[in-house]
Amino acid sequence: MSRQPLRVAIAEVERTLAAAGVASPRVDAELLAAHVLGAHRSTLPMIPLVDPDVVTRLQALAARRATREPLQHILGTAVLGPVEVAVGPGVFIPRPETELLLEWGLGAVRDVRRPVVLDLCTGSGALALAFAVSRPDAEVHALEADPAALSWTRRNLDAHVRAGGRPVTLHVADVRWPDLLVELEAGVDLVVCNPPYVPDGTPVPPEVEHWDPPGAVFGGPDGTEIIQAVVRGATGWLRHGGWLAIEHDDTHAESVPALLRRRRTLAEVTEHRDLSGRPRFVTARRVPSH
């Protein structure tokens, strides 16, 4: 059988995905093609023709994506900043929006030597690993409670160490537990968290509804149940002058900053928006000692 134009195959996949309601059909089609070819997406224009079996495999993956199975589950990985982590059923898929929190956090500890970073509700471990890779001198801690998610956390943290990275300390615990991580009290330079924050009952895309663990998505009636626990804990873990950053729902632009402002130990509460202008995360600083 004759070879076929790759661009035609990608265009067909794009049409299939668009008809299925996929939000980014062209990008997904190209990423699937790159996955099948074992190539980088940027090199696809340099591959004019492909064998029929490549087209067959690409169409098979497109059929899975058309059912709204997450692209990251099909690829087996998700990217956050400088890291690529393994993901699949049972763990929350890292979102590109969280890179804004990562960038802010790295800036907050830019001038801190050997910073101590604590990532709560770590899930796949992506955010913790992004700090560990970006700041090899950092002492990074990650906390997770869900057994299914923890299998992915451990897998990714172990892979990081095998690649030569400094180990990330994993704490198996629920952020709502009392007297948690007392060994870190007043010793953390940066606490970050991408918690479950969607208010219960909020409609979500099929990729989220059917694939992301509900416990990693929904955060109680108003979406702030876990966030409140994070704020309570962070005020004890942060050193004087340390920073806190929490991702939240776009309906929380006023309520979550208000939670932080009610704490006399926190100051410089600031709301941050994502690239589309939606409220996305809030930051605060532990009041410095005088």
Side-chain angles (χ1 to χ4, degrees), residues 47-64:
I47 307 173
L49 299 173
V50 293
D51 293 328
D53 73 300
V54 169
V55 177
T56 300
R57 285 156 52 207
L58 176 57
Q59 290 173 340
L61 296 186
R64 289 174 59 186

Side-chain angles (χ1 to χ4, degrees), residues 13-25:
V13 169
E14 180 184 5
R15 285 192 292 272
T16 298
L17 300 186
V22 171
S24 52

Side-chain angles (χ1 to χ4, degrees), residues 105-156:
L106 288 171
V109 295
R110 181 181 297 113
D111 298 324
V112 180
R113 292 183 59 202
R114 296 188 293 277
V116 178
V117 179
L118 171 59
D119 176 31
L120 304 169
C121 308
T122 195
S124 66
L127 188 55
L129 288 170
F131 279 103
V133 169
S134 300
R135 287 293 302 269
D137 64 322
E139 176 186 322
V140 181
H141 296 258
L143 181 142
E144 179 57 54
D146 182 75
L150 279 164
S151 66
W152 295 98
T153 317
R154 293 189 175 99
R155 175 176 172 178
N156 290 317

